[in-house]
Amino acid sequence: MLIVKKFGGTSVGDKERIFHVARRCVEEYRKGNDVIIVLSAMGKTTDELIAKAMEITPNPPRRELDMLLTTGEQVSVALMAMAIDSMGVPVVSLNAFQVSMHTTRVYGNARIKRIDTDRIMHELEIRRIVIVTGFQGVNKYDNYTTLGRGGSDTTAVALAAALHADACEIYTDVDGVYTADPRVVPTARKLKEITYDEMLDLATLGAGVLHNRSVEMAKKYGVQLVVRSSLNDNEGTIVKEETSVERMLISGVALDRNTARISVIGLKDQPGIAFKLFNLLAKENINVDVILQSIGRENSKDISFTVARSEADEAVEILTQNKNRVGAASISCNKSVAKVSIVGAGMMSNPGVAAKMFEALYNENVNINMISTSEIRVTVLIDEKDAERAMNAVHGAFGLEE
Amino acid sequence: MLIVKKFGGTSVGDKERIFHVARRCVEEYRKGNDVIIVLSAMGKTTDELIAKAMEITPNPPRRELDMLLTTGEQVSVALMAMAIDSMGVPVVSLNAFQVSMHTTRVYGNARIKRIDTDRIMHELEIRRIVIVTGFQGVNKYDNYTTLGRGGSDTTAVALAAALHADACEIYTDVDGVYTADPRVVPTARKLKEITYDEMLDLATLGAGVLHNRSVEMAKKYGVQLVVRSSLNDNEGTIVKEETSVERMLISGVALDRNTARISVIGLKDQPGIAFKLFNLLAKENINVDVILQSIGRENSKDISFTVARSEADEAVEILTQNKNRVGAASISCNKSVAKVSIVGAGMMSNPGVAAKMFEALYNENVNINMISTSEIRVTVLIDEKDAERAMNAVHGAFGLEE
């Protein structure tokens, strides 16, 4: 068996954790398996490196920032190799140049294009454990790139796909994927299996144990993932195309507090207004999420939408500067909101799922601000203070705790 | 003009120093010159990385240690590129993979074999300042190597040679090469020029502002070096084949306290004994310096030699373990010794230089333990307590202070 194991920054945060991971991987190797380990930078290293860059200049060139950040994973893999070597097992660490991890040319958010598997295959053949730097690649100009948030997950999936690995295990600090965040919903239950699509919606909606792009890539190449804890031997959650268990109506309830609602009131009711509005935000790279348009009074219309809470102030500022251009009467912002979503592939063939959710919220006296749905998801925007009650009510209504 | 400028770890130790170096290099660039900057790891980074490795295992594989250490310079070059970019000057940082700095395969102490200059030439052509990681290379297995102590100097010289640079400037925390260490000999004088050979002997003998291998390489490829301070604009010292100034009898007096004398007494006077003795030490990679053999009493002989003080205990242990094998009566070690050397290309054509040195020491009542000479050098081993007096006496006797 060829097994790819990915460990995040906290899993390699200090000597004890490094040896914990090392022992785990050596155990797998000694069973006769080929083992590839993908590592993130240790603990807070990436943040510390970014802070160093910011000390030099608030606007470091992205190319040089990636040059700086890629050192983080290189330190991790070298130390892990030393740990495994000290246990008497042949091992080699490889960075993006040595793997030949080819990416698109964009810095800070590159995508993997191609992996030359020769070197890795050779190292596996001579029975070495191979440790690969996550999160990083090399573009066609022979410059380092990084893959953006959660990039190490993507590295692991890409390697599993390129090498036709038998398993791709993503180790995190939780046991797997839950029906809801156990810190919010105490009765939450770990899922044995979940589909790629459900996982994608859960990741987007703030329940993410896996980064979106890694799940997209896993789906595209049919790489079956296992999400499990680096701290224990519990079974974890399998992410795959079709779950074999009896399909639940919904798989999970997700909570996202990192959201703010912006309302633009009294827009002229004429074509192109929405385009003008959102184009302004798009140009500044502000991601807009749920959008709601409603008829205002006296031949005007109101548009409300949500953005990440950290981008709310910037969005309001841009809109205020362009108030006359888009013809808005007033702009308001509410940061005390939260998104609650239910996700489930079973939803598609079952009408009334949304209604059931709304009923549960009504019974708890939770007011719904905005609603947005997709084929396998229903999202509501509510007051943040209601979030925990809402989560538990919805979780209970769908019988997820059983 | 194409100028290679090398800055050590203290010169890039913090934000202020980084910008100081950046301004200096930008100034050179704005005169219309092509500028290549070679950097070491910041401040104590390399030592910190080694400590991290030692925390994992006392015997890290050298290949992985180099993988770890090379991150140090990569951080330096990225931050320097950010600083120069923030000043509005086009810049790019390159690591050993990007430069294609090919070395021999040995880890920890590799030698540069070949540099593919294409990438650097291209970057210079589009008028970028190029910043290169010192101290590191890539071997034929596509693995990182490091060049050993002072490796960044060697990187700078190798680049200057490969690119036929017009100047190679080595910036340190001193103004240049002095006739003696100014902390020991207050009347020491900065040299305007010095030959490669003199510099080599001074470096070996503990006065080293430049690492030996970089001077050897400079000599081999005829790269003229300038050693100058990163803190001021003083002229520095030029290192070249033939000095153009009127030749001094000697160029400098060097002091090396990092030495210990080991005496092996009562060896049998038969062939092969010296070989056996030093072979034992060579196998453990202990470098032996000055060797003195003398006739002992009753058909035996005594051998004394010096080693680096840090290796003295190990050497004594090895010899004690093999006492019977080499047939020694006793082994003693003296760590309170120091080497004082005079170096000068003018010595070759002037007999009596050694005698003049001995006379100066005699006048100061300094006892000489051992003597060793080469064409351009005379070294004496004395008690460490006499070192400063000896230095000043010799420095004065040759009129170096004028």
Side-chain angles (χ1 to χ4, degrees):
Chain A
M1 292 243 293
L2 168 55
I3 301 169
V4 177
K5 289 170 179 287
K6 180 259 165 180
F7 295 88
T10 40
S11 303
V12 291
D14 57 35
K15 181 187 171 176
E16 281 64 39
R17 284 160 194 252
I18 287 173
F19 272 97
H20 180 79
V21 169
R23 275 190 296 273
R24 201 159 180 152
C25 296
V26 164
E27 209 175 284
E28 197 83 84
Y29 170 89
R30 291 205 167 125
K31 286 182 200 159
N33 294 313
D34 290 331
V35 178
I36 297 173
I37 309 172
V38 176
L39 297 182
S40 303
M42 290 169 74
K44 299 273 165 221
T45 305
T46 303
D47 292 340
E48 285 162 17
L49 288 170
I50 290 174
K52 267 190 188 171
M54 292 301 151
E55 209 194 316
I56 299 291
T57 166
N59 292 307
R62 291 303 316 224
R63 191 260 179 206
E64 298 300 337
L65 191 59
D66 283 359
M67 183 82 168
L68 181 70
L69 294 184
T70 50
T71 61
E73 293 78 32
Q74 195 170 315
V75 169
S76 296
V77 298
L79 292 177
M80 183 63 73
M82 292 174 192
I84 291 175
D85 175 88
S86 77
M87 298 164 76
V89 173
V91 62
V92 67
S93 70
L94 301 176
N95 68 11
F97 272 97
Q98 293 165 331
V99 168
S100 288
M101 179 73 68
H102 300 280
T103 71
T104 54
R105 62 184 193 161
V106 60
Y107 300 106
N109 200 25
R111 285 168 183 267
I112 296 170
K113 284 170 69 181
R114 188 167 47 82
I115 301 175
D116 292 347
T117 54
D118 292 2
R119 171 84 189 252
I120 294 185
M121 289 306 288
H122 169 72
E123 301 287 0
L124 292 175
E125 252 160 47
I126 58 174
R127 281 297 284 156
R128 281 178 170 166
I129 291 181
V130 177
I131 312 175
V132 175
T133 49
F135 179 67
Q136 61 183 247
V138 178
N139 68 12
K140 66 174 173 180
Y141 305 115
D142 238 16
N143 291 335
Y144 272 116
T145 53
T146 59
L147 307 178
R149 280 265 157 231
S152 292
D153 291 350
T154 311
T155 306
V157 174
L159 284 169
L163 294 157
H164 307 288
D166 299 287
C168 182
E169 303 171 347
I170 310 290
Y171 289 82
T172 69
D173 45 6
V174 294
D175 271 0
V177 184
Y178 277 74
T179 52
D181 185 338
R183 287 167 301 186
V184 179
V185 181
T187 57
R189 188 172 47 79
K190 191 175 69 189
L191 295 163
K192 267 194 148 63
E193 297 183 341
I194 189 170
T195 68
Y196 296 124
D197 288 336
E198 289 170 334
M199 193 67 230
L200 278 171
D201 261 328
L202 283 173
T204 321
L205 297 168
V209 282
L210 279 179
H211 198 256
N212 247 6
R213 276 167 53 196
S214 61
V215 182
E216 278 167 15
M217 187 178 278
K219 179 180 152 114
K220 185 171 171 190
Y221 293 102
V223 175
Q224 186 170 310
L225 301 177
V226 182
V227 179
R228 53 192 299 192
S229 168
S230 60
L231 306 170
N232 60 48
D233 285 331
N234 296 353
E235 257 190 24
T237 301
I238 296 168
V239 189
K240 53 191 207 174
E241 187 61 44
E242 283 285 330
T243 54
S244 51
V245 292
E246 193 189 355
R247 184 174 276 175
M248 304 284 298
L249 198 57
I250 74 167
S251 298
V253 186
L255 171 63
D256 184 3
R257 296 176 196 270
N258 178 25
T259 191
R261 185 188 58 178
I262 295 176
S263 299
V264 189
I265 309 293
L267 291 159
K268 287 206 192 89
D269 189 14
Q270 62 187 41
I273 285 292
F275 163 71
K276 271 186 204 162
L277 190 75
F278 292 113
N279 194 39
L280 284 168
L281 300 174
K283 277 196 294 193
E284 298 300 320
N285 270 320
I286 294 174
N287 236 337
V288 171
D289 190 23
V290 185
I291 299 176
L292 189 97
Q293 180 174 317
S294 58
I295 310 288
R297 54 174 97 169
E298 288 168 16
N299 210 21
S300 74
K301 60 184 175 189
D302 306 336
I303 290 183
S304 291
F305 57 89
T306 59
V307 295
R309 205 171 282 177
S310 56
E311 294 181 333
D313 290 340
E314 200 189 343
V316 169
E317 202 190 312
I318 292 164
L319 294 175
T320 307
Q321 281 166 4
N322 294 276
K323 209 167 151 183
N324 295 331
R325 216 171 127 200
V326 294
S330 70
I331 293 152
S332 67
C333 177
N334 182 354
K335 291 186 190 172
S336 305
V337 292
K339 278 188 293 186
V340 171
S341 307
I342 53 173
V343 172
M347 218 181 271
M348 284 191 276
S349 45
N350 277 282
V353 169
K356 193 169 183 176
M357 182 187 190
F358 302 154
E359 185 190 9
L361 293 172
Y362 171 71
N363 287 340
E364 272 292 319
N365 205 24
V366 173
N367 191 37
I368 299 173
N369 282 318
M370 292 167 81
I371 299 169
S372 149
T373 62
S374 81
E375 276 193 325
I376 64 164
R377 178 181 55 78
V378 180
T379 299
V380 296
L381 193 78
I382 62 174
D383 282 357
E384 191 176 10
K385 66 171 170 45
D386 295 333
E388 301 211 358
R389 272 193 305 126
M391 286 289 286
N392 280 286
V394 173
H395 196 264
F398 285 97
L400 292 174
E401 72 279 54
E402 73 205 36
Chain B
M1 291 247 290
L2 168 54
I3 301 169
V4 177
K5 289 170 180 285
K6 180 261 167 179
F7 295 88
T10 40
S11 303
V12 292
D14 57 33
K15 181 186 171 175
E16 281 64 40
R17 284 159 193 252
I18 288 174
F19 271 98
H20 180 80
V21 169
R23 274 189 297 273
R24 197 155 183 158
C25 296
V26 163
E27 209 174 284
E28 196 83 83
Y29 170 89
R30 289 206 168 124
K31 286 183 199 159
N33 294 313
D34 290 331
V35 178
I36 297 173
I37 308 172
V38 176
L39 297 182
S40 303
M42 291 167 72
K44 299 273 166 221
T45 305
T46 304
D47 291 340
E48 284 162 19
L49 288 170
I50 290 173
K52 267 191 188 171
M54 292 302 151
E55 209 193 319
I56 298 292
T57 165
N59 293 306
R62 292 301 318 223
R63 191 259 178 208
E64 299 300 337
L65 191 59
D66 283 359
M67 183 81 168
L68 181 70
L69 294 184
T70 51
T71 61
E73 292 78 33
Q74 196 169 315
V75 169
S76 296
V77 298
L79 292 176
M80 183 63 73
M82 292 174 192
I84 290 176
D85 175 89
S86 78
M87 297 166 78
V89 172
V91 63
V92 68
S93 71
L94 301 176
N95 67 13
F97 272 97
Q98 293 165 332
V99 169
S100 288
M101 179 73 68
H102 301 280
T103 71
T104 53
R105 60 185 195 160
V106 59
Y107 301 106
N109 200 25
R111 287 171 181 264
I112 296 171
K113 284 170 68 181
R114 187 168 47 83
I115 301 174
D116 292 347
T117 55
D118 292 3
R119 173 82 188 253
I120 294 184
M121 288 306 289
H122 170 73
E123 301 288 359
L124 292 175
E125 251 160 46
I126 59 175
R127 281 296 285 155
R128 281 178 169 166
I129 290 180
V130 177
I131 312 175
V132 175
T133 50
F135 180 66
Q136 61 184 248
V138 178
N139 68 13
K140 67 174 172 180
Y141 306 114
D142 238 15
N143 291 336
Y144 273 117
T145 53
T146 59
L147 308 180
R149 281 265 156 231
S152 292
D153 291 349
T154 311
T155 306
V157 174
L159 284 169
L163 294 157
H164 306 288
D166 300 288
C168 183
E169 302 171 347
I170 310 290
Y171 288 84
T172 69
D173 45 6
V174 294
D175 271 0
V177 183
Y178 278 74
T179 52
D181 185 338
R183 287 166 302 184
V184 178
V185 181
T187 56
R189 188 172 46 81
K190 190 174 70 187
L191 294 164
K192 268 194 146 70
E193 297 182 341
I194 189 170
T195 67
Y196 295 124
D197 288 334
E198 288 170 333
M199 193 67 230
L200 279 171
D201 261 329
L202 284 174
T204 320
L205 298 168
V209 283
L210 279 179
H211 197 257
N212 247 7
R213 277 168 52 197
S214 62
V215 182
E216 278 167 15
M217 187 179 279
K219 179 181 155 119
K220 184 171 172 190
Y221 294 102
V223 174
Q224 186 169 311
L225 301 177
V226 183
V227 179
R228 53 193 296 193
S229 168
S230 61
L231 305 170
N232 60 47
D233 285 330
N234 296 353
E235 256 189 27
T237 301
I238 297 170
V239 188
K240 55 191 205 176
E241 188 60 46
E242 283 286 330
T243 54
S244 51
V245 290
E246 192 189 356
R247 185 174 274 175
M248 304 283 297
L249 197 57
I250 75 166
S251 298
V253 186
L255 172 62
D256 184 3
R257 296 177 195 269
N258 178 26
T259 191
R261 184 188 58 176
I262 295 176
S263 299
V264 187
I265 309 292
L267 291 160
K268 285 202 194 94
D269 189 15
Q270 62 187 42
I273 284 291
F275 163 71
K276 271 187 202 161
L277 190 76
F278 293 113
N279 193 39
L280 283 167
L281 300 174
K283 276 197 294 194
E284 297 300 320
N285 269 321
I286 294 174
N287 236 337
V288 170
D289 192 23
V290 185
I291 299 176
L292 189 97
Q293 181 176 315
S294 56
I295 310 289
R297 58 174 96 170
E298 288 167 16
N299 210 22
S300 75
K301 61 184 174 189
D302 307 337
I303 292 184
S304 292
F305 56 89
T306 59
V307 295
R309 203 170 286 178
S310 55
E311 294 180 333
D313 289 340
E314 201 189 340
V316 168
E317 202 189 312
I318 292 166
L319 294 175
T320 307
Q321 282 165 6
N322 293 276
K323 209 168 152 183
N324 294 332
R325 218 172 127 201
V326 294
S330 70
I331 293 153
S332 67
C333 178
N334 182 354
K335 291 187 190 171
S336 305
V337 292
K339 277 188 292 186
V340 171
S341 307
I342 52 173
V343 172
M347 218 181 271
M348 285 190 275
S349 45
N350 278 282
V353 170
K356 192 168 185 175
M357 182 186 189
F358 303 154
E359 184 189 10
L361 293 172
Y362 170 72
N363 288 340
E364 271 293 318
N365 205 22
V366 172
N367 191 38
I368 300 172
N369 281 318
M370 292 167 81
I371 298 168
S372 149
T373 61
S374 81
E375 277 194 324
I376 64 165
R377 178 180 54 78
V378 180
T379 299
V380 296
L381 192 77
I382 59 173
D383 282 357
E384 191 176 8
K385 65 172 171 45
D386 295 333
E388 302 210 359
R389 270 192 308 127
M391 287 287 287
N392 280 285
V394 173
H395 196 263
F398 287 96
L400 292 173
E401 72 279 57
E402 71 205 37

